[in-house]
Amino acid sequence: MQKHALATSLLALSAVTPVFAQEARGVNPADIDSRIDLIVKRVNLDQDGTTDVVTVKFDYKLNSNWGVNFELPAYTKLSVPGLSASGNGDLFARARYIQPTTSGWIYGASFEVVAPAASKDEIGTGRWQGNVGALAVKPWTRAFLTAFVVKQTTSLGGDADRAKFSNTEIRFVPVMMLPDGWALSGEVRQTWEHRSDASWQRVEGTLNKQFSAQWAGSLGYSRDFGDRKDRGAFSAAVKYFF
C-alpha cells in the first residue's frame, strides 16, 4: 500500500514539473538545464552614474539532480563622476543539487566559488569567495510556483588591501506561467552585510518568452533600496538550450 502511494505521488510530481519546462524553460529556479545565456544589464547608480554589464553564462546538466554553471561578466563599464573603468569582472563557478520529494516540494543546495578575475579593481572584489545556498520550490498549480532561497557569501583570501565581506541574503521568487510560452517571474530580496551592518533590498520583475525548444528571451527591471540603493536597472537576456 505504501509503495503504491509513493508511486502515485511521484507520478503526480512528474506530471507537474514538465509543464514548466515545456512552457517556459529556465524560469523555475529548480530547473537544471544545459544552456548558454547572454545577459545585458544597465544599472542606474544612486551616485548619478551607470554600470553596464554584458554577462555570459554557461549551464550544463550532469543528470536529473546535478548541474554546474559558470558565469563571467565579460564586459563591464563603470561610469561615475570622476571615474570610468571597463573590463571583465570576477569569474563564478557553481555546482547545484536538486531533489524532488513526494510532498511536492523540491529542495536544493549549491556551492559557489568566485575567482577574483576582474581586469580592474573598480569592477571586481579582489577577493576569493566560498558561497553556499539552499533552495525550496513549491509548484502550487500547473501555472504557479514559489521559490525560497537563502545564500551566504563569504570572502576568503585574495588582495589583503581589499575589504573582506560576509553577506546573507534571502529571496522570495514567485513564477506565473502564461499561455504561448510566456512567463512572469518576480523577486523580493533582503541582504545583510555582517561586517558593516549595512542592509539593502531588491524588488525585481522579469517577463520571459520561450520562442522555440532551443531559444528563449527575457526583459527585466529591478530596483535596489536601503544602504546600497540605485535608481533602477534594466536587463535583457537571450538563452539557447541544448
Side-chain angles (χ1 to χ4, degrees):
M1 190 70 177
Q2 290 181 342
K3 290 184 178 179
H4 178 72
L6 177 61
T8 302
S9 298
L10 288 171
L11 286 172
L13 178 62
S14 64
V16 173
T17 305
V19 173
F20 295 99
Q22 292 168 5
E23 292 298 323
R25 302 177 65 183
V27 298
N28 181 349
D31 284 349
I32 297 179
D33 295 302
S34 292
R35 75 183 206 236
I36 298 173
D37 293 18
L38 180 64
I39 308 163
V40 179
K41 185 174 184 178
R42 161 161 282 200
V43 182
N44 296 302
L45 302 173
D46 189 50
Q47 306 91 337
D48 197 27
T50 59
T51 301
D52 297 302
V53 185
V54 178
T55 300
V56 179
K57 185 179 176 185
F58 174 78
D59 289 72
Y60 187 73
K61 180 178 181 178
L62 299 175
N63 54 45
S64 58
N65 297 105
W66 284 96
V68 295
N69 68 60
F70 301 89
E71 183 175 336
L72 177 68
Y75 178 77
T76 298
K77 183 177 181 181
L78 173 64
S79 300
V80 296
L83 174 65
S84 180
S86 61
N88 66 274
D90 293 337
L91 175 64
F92 295 74
R94 306 181 184 95
R96 301 176 66 229
Y97 175 77
I98 299 296
Q99 180 60 62
T101 67
T102 56
S103 66
W105 284 91
I106 305 169
Y107 297 106
S110 65
F111 180 75
E112 176 182 86
V113 175
V114 183
S119 57
K120 299 286 181 61
D121 287 349
E122 295 84 358
I123 54 179
T125 66
R127 290 277 182 178
W128 287 86
Q129 298 175 42
N131 309 328
V132 294
L135 169 74
V137 177
K138 174 65 173 180
W140 300 100
T141 69
R142 291 191 171 190
F144 181 69
L145 65 88
T146 56
F148 302 89
V149 182
V150 179
K151 182 178 179 180
Q152 172 63 35
T153 298
T154 306
S155 63
L156 302 173
D159 188 346
D161 294 329
R162 304 293 297 275
K164 297 179 181 180
F165 49 87
S166 174
N167 300 343
T168 300
E169 69 178 36
I170 58 173
R171 290 186 280 163
F172 172 68
V173 181
V175 179
M176 181 176 294
M177 295 298 185
L178 304 173
D180 301 320
W182 291 94
L184 186 63
S185 59
E187 180 177 317
V188 178
R189 181 187 305 191
Q190 170 67 52
T191 305
W192 295 272
E193 212 298 306
H194 304 299
R195 289 183 174 270
S196 65
D197 291 329
S199 68
W200 58 96
Q201 304 78 39
R202 174 174 297 176
V203 178
E204 183 171 354
T206 304
L207 181 63
N208 307 271
K209 171 63 175 176
Q210 191 76 34
F211 299 107
S212 68
Q214 284 75 43
W215 290 98
S218 65
L219 294 172
Y221 176 79
S222 66
R223 185 80 182 263
D224 284 7
F225 304 90
D227 292 320
R228 296 191 183 179
K229 62 182 178 179
D230 61 26
R231 294 181 293 116
F234 295 90
S235 65
V238 176
K239 310 171 188 180
Y240 176 74
F241 297 83
F242 58 94

